[in-house]
Amino acid sequence: MALWTLFGLMSGKATTPWPKDGANDGQDGVLGMPRYNPALCQEGCEECAAVCPTHAIQIQDGGLSVDYGRCVVCQLCTEACPSGAMEPSHDWAFGVRDRTDLVWSNDRTSHPAADRTERRAFRRSLHIRHVDAGSCNGCESELQALNNPFYNLHRLGIFFTPSPRFADLLLVTGPVTRAMFEPLRSAYEAMPEPRWVMAVGTCAVSGGIPGGNYACGTGLEGVLPVDLYLPGCPPNPSAILQALLMFLDRTPQRVRGGQIGG
Amino acid sequence: MNGMRIKPLEASKLHAAAKALYEAGGRVQFAYAWSPHGSGTEVRYICAVPDQQDFDVWTVAGCSLPSLAPVVPLLGWYEREMTDLQKIKFSGHPEPYPLVLREDDSTRINGSLKSYPPTNGHAHLPAIETRDVQQLPFGPIRADVVESAEFTFFYIGERIIYYQPRLFFKHRGMESCFQGQRPDHAVVIAERVSGVGTLAHALAYCEAIERAAKCTVPPRAQALRVLLAELERIYNHLHYLGHLCHTTSLKVGEAQGKLLEEKAKQLIARLTGSRFLRSLLTPGGLRRDLTPDRWLGAGLEALRQEFVAYVERLEASESHLDRLITTGPLPARIAFDQGATGPIERASGLDRDLRRDHPYAQYAELPLAVSTLKEGDAYARERVRMAEVEASFILCQRVLLLLEPGPIRTECAPPPLSQGLGWAEDPRGSLFYAVHIGGDGRLARVKIKSPSFSNWRAFPFTVHDTNMMDYAINEASFGLTIAGCDR
Ligand code: SF4
Ligand code: SF4
């Protein structure tokens, strides 16, 4: 075993200090939510709404309504748009406390939930129970990555726990299939109060691609009360880290009115 | 040239046809049902015939057929799925129980109504009366961050007597999502069937559409598809090795394996914009050109060197090897009968690989070493994957070396009422897409045959009559996904 220890020591520190300013988040080149530039939108075009597989973009009052809570980051709209109004971006740190902050809006004043001051100032560590309610396993792959040496979730005092009884946060992936509905509810019921719920991935936020078909619900909508939303398909590990630290009031929410830096 | 040789068959001739196929050295790959426009239901059996690029497809009309499962055991689950989802009756089925989801399953998704337990894969457990035998159901929510499934163990002390997985909790009706969609945009759906198999699913889907449209993909796109598919294999197998170390309690080995996986994903993201190789393929080629400049070749070579050193350390770790050698042996006969595929069957001595046996994309022009081993234990499954990573690095460098500039996309519109079969060797084994285009040019039916559906069927045979403490290692050594199986 000396071999492994030696090697471990030699390879030094691999961990990123993200989300500290200027830190390497490890997501070089990763595409995020398409950025909506209404000023560039051509009247009557509607190409993006026609291709969007999850109706994240819809025509409303002659203009567009863009709901990033439904976006699966497929980039079809950015390819269909003739004028750059739907533009590829690297905006993926999309964790929010209030669902309405995922909907594009000119009015970027904070929603009440986003400003809650009686934050659950966690002075102890955070324990998470994960439930896969029918994911494609992309979201699990990124959740598992959180424990690799690059993200090293433990260093932040955040742990996954096998038992709902010791969990503070229920982290759900997937659109909630028919067969997972009951087990998911039971896991929630088994948690002690106070308890919180996080929807990770667009499937859990709003159903994603299979949402609402014969086998699936539309994510946690109408199933459990959600305290933290993180759309993405899948959200990358740095986005998940950022959202968890935001939940703990250790880093600010980056998105308001569907825009980063709002 | 749609990938198929269609052979209509009468139901009464099924058993004889299966016998002749197996005597000739062929094998049934999968079966599915669909309803052609304006006529009744039809069941299709897709068969590999030796030395033949295209697959034979037997078509049998009707909703009431004799079960082939008694003679071709791997068909057992396909038939049960057809019974659940398309109401086809199979007479003489050895396990006539629900598997996926039935219409009268009354689980309510949206809270208000009373809910009932679903019948997916309902356990039909043997009646074991002895008092010494304990029964342990586990799941569908398990420890750590894992996919949902329920396992039942019958055991005495440490000894597992009988094991049954109950799957399909994650059935999302993915095949139905394709219906009515435009063939070009629906690749987005294929990419979300199994996240860690995104590229293979997109590739098999695109191949099926391209065969239906009889379109020829430009060479640069074909070459880049190979590069992308091998990058997917590399990060998946690196994850596999790290996770296997987790189960053998080799902590540093776990951390190093998962760090290598992370490095691979970061290289992939830098090249493609997606850690999972999403939003890249489209029927007819690629959605946009990629520019794998020198940095990629250098980055892959650096990763390969770290990988080689990592493997050397794993191979010198006796505590790790001790847990793998002779654990969970899968005999070649069972692997063949139950339809095991990919690294699992190759570790049990079956020498098959779609990249070589039914070449697609640019594989016919590339050097590919297919690794097989005879032992069939967890160690063999690990070593086959190690060898595959090596081979993937070589393929990637070869593609980078030979890559020529040129177009990356061609027009690809399958005509109304056309059909096509596409396939790819996913990191976990053989993956097929069968597509049928409707009269309106949109998708009428898409069937997905995933490698994990096949390997889950074989896995329990390696668990009966083994030890509890080996279970997690054995499961990890199979490297199964559940999303791909349940769809
Ligand atoms: S990137 Fe998002 S908004 Fe654009 S088409 Fe895809 S799902 Fe719709
Ligand atoms: S959000 Fe995307 S990555 Fe996550 S489970 Fe759904 S389809 Fe998969």
Side-chain angles (χ1 to χ4, degrees), chain A residues 9 11 25 52 96 100 118 147-148 176-177 181 190 192:
Chain A
L9 290 172
S11 37
D25 54 37
C52 180
V96 299
T100 52
E118 42 53 83
N147 280 333
N148 77 34
V176 187
T177 57
F181 173 77

Side-chain angles (χ1 to χ4, degrees), chain A residues 4 7 29 31 72 74 79 129 132 134 136-137 141-142 144 148 151 177-178 181-182 213-214 233, chain B residues 105 107-109 115 142 145 147-148 169-172 192 195-196 256 262 265 273 275 278 287 317:
Chain A
W4 286 104
F7 182 82
L31 290 171
V72 294
C74 70
E79 289 168 17
R129 170 72 261 211
D132 162 16
C136 78
N137 74 33
S141 179
E142 296 298 54
Q144 289 164 354
N148 77 34
Y151 305 101
T177 57
R178 282 217 258 177
F181 173 77
E182 271 304 303
N213 73 8
Y214 71 88
C233 190
Chain B
D105 278 1
T107 306
R108 304 294 180 202
I109 296 162
S115 55
R142 299 179 282 150
V145 178
E147 295 190 73
S148 295
F169 283 92
K170 298 182 54 158
H171 178 66
R172 288 165 292 155
R192 283 156 183 82
V196 294
Q256 294 301 328
E262 177 65 27
K265 274 181 168 175
R275 289 161 59 88
R278 281 184 173 161
R287 280 168 63 181
S317 299

Side-chain angles (χ1 to χ4, degrees), chain A residues 137 144, chain B residues 142 147 194 196-197 233 236-244 247 324 341-345 377-378 381-382 385 426-429 450-456 459 462 471-485:
Chain A
N137 74 33
Q144 289 164 354
Chain B
R142 299 179 282 150
E147 295 190 73
S194 174
V196 294
R233 198 176 324 277
N236 267 280
H237 285 4
L238 291 173
H239 172 83
Y240 168 93
L241 293 172
H243 182 60
L244 194 60
T247 62
L324 300 179
T341 181
I344 307 302
E345 67 169 333
D377 58 359
R381 291 190 278 276
E382 184 198 43
R385 280 179 160 97
D426 175 283
R428 290 169 180 78
S450 75
S452 288
F453 187 88
S454 310
N455 286 331
W456 268 111
F459 174 62
T462 67
Y471 175 79
I473 297 172
N474 188 19
E475 193 195 317
S477 81
F478 266 73
L480 303 155
T481 76
I482 295 172
C485 173

Side-chain angles (χ1 to χ4, degrees), chain B residues 150-288:
Chain B
E150 187 180 284
F151 306 136
T152 301
F153 299 88
F154 287 96
Y155 64 102
I156 303 177
E158 263 291 300
R159 198 86 189 145
I160 302 170
I161 318 247
Y162 182 81
Y163 161 81
Q164 195 176 83
R166 181 180 168 201
L167 301 161
F168 303 95
F169 283 92
K170 298 182 54 158
H171 178 66
R172 288 165 292 155
M174 288 308 286
E175 290 171 7
S176 77
C177 293
F178 288 89
Q179 279 159 31
Q181 299 297 322
R182 279 174 50 170
D184 52 349
H185 291 163
V187 67
V188 168
I189 304 169
E191 288 178 336
R192 283 156 183 82
V193 174
S194 174
V196 294
T198 291
L199 202 280
H201 277 264
L203 182 48
Y205 170 78
C206 288
E207 291 261 339
I209 298 292
E210 287 151 8
R211 288 207 177 85
K214 301 192 168 42
C215 94
T216 310
V217 176
R220 181 175 171 87
Q222 296 286 34
L224 286 169
R225 284 177 172 191
V226 170
L227 174 72
L228 298 171
E230 296 308 318
L231 289 172
E232 181 164 87
R233 198 176 324 277
I234 289 173
Y235 92 76
N236 267 280
H237 285 4
L238 291 173
H239 172 83
Y240 168 93
L241 293 172
H243 182 60
L244 194 60
C245 290
H246 170 74
T247 62
T248 63
S249 308
L250 193 61
K251 289 278 178 248
V252 190
E254 175 187 0
Q256 294 301 328
K258 292 189 174 169
L259 186 58
L260 290 180
E261 174 201 5
E262 177 65 27
K263 287 182 179 178
K265 274 181 168 175
Q266 291 190 11
L267 277 180
I268 288 169
R270 201 173 146 200
L271 174 68
T272 69
S274 160
R275 289 161 59 88
F276 291 84
L277 299 146
R278 281 184 173 161
S279 316
L280 297 168
L281 302 198
T282 188
L286 301 187
R287 280 168 63 181
R288 58 196 157 81

Side-chain angles (χ1 to χ4, degrees), chain B residues 8-38:
Chain B
L9 208 65
E10 277 174 31
S12 58
K13 303 270 163 56
L14 265 172
H15 275 261
K19 190 159 175 273
L21 175 74
Y22 277 76
E23 274 166 9
R27 183 176 177 185
V28 182
Q29 296 280 353
F30 67 107
Y32 70 100
W34 79 299
S35 302
H37 187 66

